[in-house]
């Protein structure tokens, strides 16, 4: 297996910048052994996602038998399976989001992410379970999974709710929830997180997000809501943005041009699907953790592309893999 491109990725990244976030999960004073190299374990998890291993133990076997893989992770001592599992539990989703926030800040400082046009959408992911025969709306063997509507019918599992930069096709904020939760429920929190990092001019999303509360919040940010009105809202008003049953967009040329940027979040979802489709998870916390590593991997690829003078490769998930 070729690991040369991943070596380029890790050489380009300044992972020491996130060391303090990782070390905050460990005690630093008092009795006890020093923690296992957290940067090495983070690199291990990134390799797991980017190379598409079907299980963590598969990569653990590669680390033991292949010195190139071990060198890529930077291990002086090969970790046990329990060490890797404890690392994932210690770091948690909150610290992973702090790591993601730092990478986004770097990409904003490089000028790659501008964040003027923010796009909202959600993506369902199927859980590793069937419906509970006693309660078909929830999962069997995965009690946190829920039945929700997907692109091609109903899906038993979870949804990742995303706020993305419509021009760079990069994630700005995300959250993971059961598949039955409405998209509107997470819109304001996602926008609040995104506006901490970028100055938003327009917020673009489909008519699922059309509500007075969300439109008012967007205007309060000093941004323009580019959200189609459903047929039961603004009846008889001409010039407003609408999407008919055949997915034809109606409205002013300026609004129609802005609404086309909504496709950017579909491209982000497609890249996430390429990573998450190879990873199994069980439970909301595990799903959020896997999505976090996938988002972090996308951003690491983009940062490497910018730093190596190849920004056109920032959205190519196979170039550094």
């Amino acid at each position: 297996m070729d690991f040369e491109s991943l070596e380029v990725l890790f050489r380009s990244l300044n992972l020491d910048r996130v060391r303090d976030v990782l070390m905050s999960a460990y005690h630093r004073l008092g009795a006890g052994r020093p923690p296992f190299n957290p940067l090495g374990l983070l690199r291990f998890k990134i390799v797991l996602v980017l190379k598409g291993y079907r299980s963590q133990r598969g990569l653990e076997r590669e680390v033991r038998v292949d010195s190139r893989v071990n060198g890529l992770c930077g291990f002086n001592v090969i970790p046990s399976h329990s060490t890797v599992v404890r690392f994932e539990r210690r770091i948690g989703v909150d610290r992973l989001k702090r790591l993601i926030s730092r990478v986004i800040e770097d990409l904003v400082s490089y000028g790659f992410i501008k964040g003027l046009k923010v796009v909202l959408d959600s993506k369902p992911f199927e859980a590793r379970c069937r419906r509970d025969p006693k309660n078909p709306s929830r999962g069997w063997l995965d009690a946190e999974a829920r039945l929700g509507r997907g692109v091609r019918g109903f899906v038993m599992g979870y949804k990742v709710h995303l706020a993305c930069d419509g021009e760079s096709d990069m994630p700005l904020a995300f959250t993971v929830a059961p598949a039955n939760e409405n998209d509107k429920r997470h819109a304001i929190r996602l926008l609040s997180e995104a506006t901490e990092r970028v100055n938003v001019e327009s917020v673009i999303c489909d008519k699922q997000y059309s509500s007075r509360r969300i439109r008012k919040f967007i205007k309060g940010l000093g941004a323009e809501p580019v959200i189609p009105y459903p047929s039961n809202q603004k009846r008889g008003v001409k010039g407003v943005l609408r999407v008919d049953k055949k997915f034809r967009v109606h409205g002013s040329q300026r609004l129609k041009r802005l609404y086309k940027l909504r496709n950017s979040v579909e491209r982000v979802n497609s890249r996430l699907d390429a990573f998450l489709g190879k990873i199994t998870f069980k439970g909301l916390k595990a799903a959020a953790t896997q999505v976090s590593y996938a988002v972090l991997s996308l951003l690491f690829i983009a940062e490497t592309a910018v730093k190596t003078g190849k920004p056109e490769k920032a959205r190519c998930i196979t170039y550094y893999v």
Side-chain angles (χ1 to χ4, degrees):
M1 187 175 285
D2 178 25
F3 287 93
E4 293 180 3
S5 53
L6 271 180
E7 290 172 358
V8 173
L9 185 143
F10 285 129
R11 281 201 304 268
S12 302
L13 296 174
N14 182 18
L15 292 182
D16 288 333
R17 188 171 181 270
V18 300
R19 183 188 292 272
D20 61 322
V21 177
L22 299 176
M23 290 302 297
S24 66
Y26 300 88
H27 75 278
R28 303 190 187 188
L29 300 174
R33 292 179 295 177
F36 201 93
N37 179 12
L39 287 178
L41 292 170
L42 177 64
R43 288 162 69 120
F44 176 92
K45 297 296 292 186
I46 298 301
V47 173
L48 179 72
V49 174
L50 292 180
K51 283 297 185 182
Y53 283 89
R54 295 187 61 84
S55 69
Q56 190 167 275
R57 291 187 183 274
L59 181 54
E60 289 169 7
R61 287 191 291 270
E62 291 282 344
V63 169
R64 289 186 175 88
V65 302
D66 194 330
S67 59
R68 296 173 304 163
V69 185
N70 188 18
L72 190 65
C73 297
F75 292 139
N76 294 321
V77 179
I78 298 175
S80 64
H81 177 72
S82 59
T83 299
V84 180
V85 172
R86 284 196 301 270
F87 168 79
E88 186 172 295
R89 291 175 180 171
R90 278 180 176 271
I91 299 304
V93 177
D94 290 340
R95 287 188 179 87
L96 285 173
K97 286 192 172 184
R98 285 165 59 187
L99 298 182
I100 289 167
S101 180
R102 292 200 176 184
V103 182
I104 292 173
E105 289 170 5
D106 288 343
L107 291 171
V108 171
S109 66
Y110 299 147
F112 182 72
I113 291 179
K114 296 184 173 58
L116 300 177
K117 312 291 190 296
V118 173
V119 186
L120 297 181
D121 201 3
S122 63
K123 167 74 175 177
F125 288 100
E126 195 168 352
R128 192 179 54 177
C129 69
R130 296 178 294 172
R131 297 188 189 185
D132 188 337
K134 295 182 180 179
N135 185 357
S137 66
R138 64 186 298 171
W140 192 35
L141 303 180
D142 187 349
E144 293 178 297
R146 292 292 182 272
L147 187 68
R149 191 176 295 276
V151 179
R152 297 175 182 154
F154 289 97
V155 172
M156 175 61 71
Y158 304 94
K159 272 186 183 180
V160 53
H161 300 266
L162 280 165
C164 300
D165 179 22
E167 294 172 309
S168 66
D169 296 353
M170 286 291 128
L172 295 172
F174 73 96
T175 189
V176 179
N180 64 337
E181 291 191 4
N182 193 284
D183 294 350
K184 294 187 187 76
R185 181 173 179 177
H186 304 280
I188 289 178
R189 184 171 65 173
L190 289 175
L191 288 172
S192 299
E193 291 182 21
T195 50
E196 290 177 0
R197 299 159 186 165
V198 293
N199 296 318
V200 183
E201 290 183 354
S202 303
V203 177
I204 304 146
C205 39
D206 60 25
K207 62 184 178 182
Q208 165 67 21
Y209 293 87
S210 181
S211 72
R212 289 182 182 177
R213 180 167 169 261
I214 292 176
R215 291 178 188 274
K216 182 179 178 181
F217 181 80
I218 293 171
K219 290 176 181 177
L221 298 173
E224 178 187 19
V226 183
I227 309 172
Y229 284 96
S231 57
N232 62 344
Q233 296 177 6
K234 293 285 184 178
R235 289 180 178 175
V237 180
K238 296 182 178 180
V240 299
L241 191 64
R242 293 191 189 277
V243 178
D244 62 23
K245 292 181 180 180
K246 295 182 178 180
F247 301 101
R248 293 174 300 193
V249 183
H250 305 275
S252 68
Q253 290 299 320
R254 185 182 66 84
L255 289 177
K256 289 165 68 174
R257 188 168 57 252
L258 285 171
Y259 188 69
K260 285 183 179 180
L261 292 174
R262 200 184 72 83
N263 294 330
S264 65
V265 75
E266 301 294 344
R267 292 189 285 270
V268 175
N269 283 332
S270 177
R271 283 181 281 150
L272 284 178
D273 200 21
F275 289 148
L276 294 172
K278 301 174 183 177
I279 301 174
T280 57
F281 46 73
K282 188 176 178 180
L284 181 59
K285 185 177 179 181
T289 300
Q290 300 301 341
V291 171
S292 299
Y293 280 115
V295 171
L296 188 60
S297 299
L298 290 182
L299 293 169
F300 276 163
I301 289 172
E303 186 176 9
T304 301
V306 173
K307 282 188 172 182
T308 55
K310 298 178 180 177
E312 69 279 1
K313 299 296 184 182
R315 291 167 286 272
C316 182
I317 62 175
T318 58
Y319 188 77
Y320 293 102
V321 178

